[in-house]
Amino acid sequence: MAIKNTLSSYGFVSKNFHWIMAVIILFNFTLGYFMGDLDKGPLRFFIFNLHKSLGILIIILIILRLFWRLINLVPTPLSQSYLLNKLSKFVHYSFYFILLVVTFSGWTYSSARGGPINVFGLFSVPALVEKNEEIGKIARNIHANSVYVFITFVGIHILASLYHHYFLKDKTIKRMWFGSSD
Ligand code: HEM
Ligand code: HEM
């Protein structure tokens, strides 16, 4: 399997970025969804810290992935429909944009409530803003709303790839999965 993308398939690095990030993001979504109900105590503290650390890791991965995308070819779309291809491009770009909104609003919320974040006990990232209840409220609203917009897009994205696989019977999923798509 090629390291870089070709016009007909994603390469090893893009495939890893895609699937490793998808797993981390969906796991972090689940943590975020349930962690608010946890009782105060060490478990709640641990899960909140894990959620924030994974969110910061996602920011780092987005930057690396965007850089990799910039120096790579993007495989040609397999659909013949101009409109669907435009829509697919729009959804793919939106993922990067909305993810940045989700992560930075989470970081701002956490900063406004509690200061710097200790990432996996390895290093700290500074607070983005001073402690401030008003900013905290706004950032929390943006975080909670943008993450549901994001997850709706993921739903559309998954349905679209299943449509390609089962109805159009093309290589869309195969060329993003590991191994050769030929
Ligand atoms: C992949 C990125 C992320 C995803 C998918 C995600 C997802 C979520 C979800 C689903 C919620 C619950 C929203 C609701 O109340 O309905 C949440 C809450 C929260 N997130 Fe994130 N988040 C991400 C990144 C971050 C980051 C980077 C931080 C901070 C550094 C963060 C901090 C928080 C905090 C503090 C809450 C509030 C929990 C509460 O008070 O109930 N999140 N997140
Ligand atoms: C959090 C979850 C996900 C995110 C953020 C995401 C994001 C993306 C992005 C940005 C691309 C464009 C290629 C790139 O820039 O690397 C892409 C392509 C793709 N994704 Fe996902 N994805 C997610 C989950 C999934 C899942 C669960 C599936 C499988 C059902 C899937 C199937 C695909 C396929 C088949 C492509 C290739 C599309 C093409 O060739 O045009 N993705 N994804």
Side-chain angles (χ1 to χ4, degrees):
M1 193 193 312
I3 296 285
K4 289 183 87 171
N5 298 349
T6 62
L7 279 179
S8 62
S9 182
Y10 288 94
F12 182 74
V13 176
S14 295
K15 288 176 180 178
N16 275 291
F17 268 132
H18 179 269
W19 293 109
I20 290 172
M21 284 176 75
V23 169
I24 298 176
I25 293 167
L26 294 178
F27 176 67
N28 218 27
F29 177 82
T30 315
L31 285 185
Y33 190 82
F34 291 108
M35 70 190 192
D37 296 334
L38 292 171
D39 293 331
K40 283 217 161 79
L43 179 67
R44 183 183 166 97
F45 181 80
F46 173 77
I47 300 284
F48 266 62
N49 186 256
L50 181 62
H51 180 78
K52 294 178 198 176
S53 298
L54 288 172
I56 299 291
L57 175 64
I58 286 297
I59 296 181
I60 299 168
L61 290 174
I62 294 174
I63 296 167
L64 294 174
R65 182 168 173 183
L66 278 174
F67 174 72
W68 185 250
R69 199 174 201 279
L70 223 76
I71 58 167
N72 258 267
L73 296 169
V74 177
T76 358
L78 293 169
S79 159
Q80 305 296 327
S81 157
Y82 175 79
L83 211 70
L84 280 183
N85 289 341
K86 282 271 169 225
L87 181 69
S88 141
K89 209 171 178 182
F90 172 74
V91 170
H92 290 171
Y93 277 116
S94 304
F95 275 143
Y96 292 107
F97 175 71
I98 306 175
L99 262 181
L100 286 174
V101 174
V102 168
T103 47
F104 276 93
S105 57
W107 188 354
T108 308
Y109 170 54
S110 170
S111 307
R113 290 288 302 273
I117 299 166
N118 187 327
V119 183
F120 300 118
L122 294 174
F123 60 94
S124 275
V125 293
L128 291 178
V129 292
E130 302 263 298
K131 283 195 185 174
N132 181 313
E133 210 166 300
E134 219 24 61
I135 294 180
K137 262 192 203 153
I138 297 169
R140 195 193 186 295
N141 266 332
I142 298 178
H143 189 57
N145 288 313
S146 59
V147 83
Y148 292 109
V149 174
F150 172 75
I151 222 67
T152 308
F153 273 50
V154 172
I156 296 171
H157 179 65
I158 294 175
L159 288 178
S161 57
L162 294 178
Y163 176 72
H164 272 276
H165 193 71
Y166 289 107
F167 287 92
L168 302 178
K169 297 194 189 307
D170 63 24
K171 289 181 182 162
T172 303
I173 290 189
K174 280 191 188 143
R175 72 181 187 172
M176 184 45 108
W177 192 243
F178 298 91
S180 157
S181 57
D182 299 322

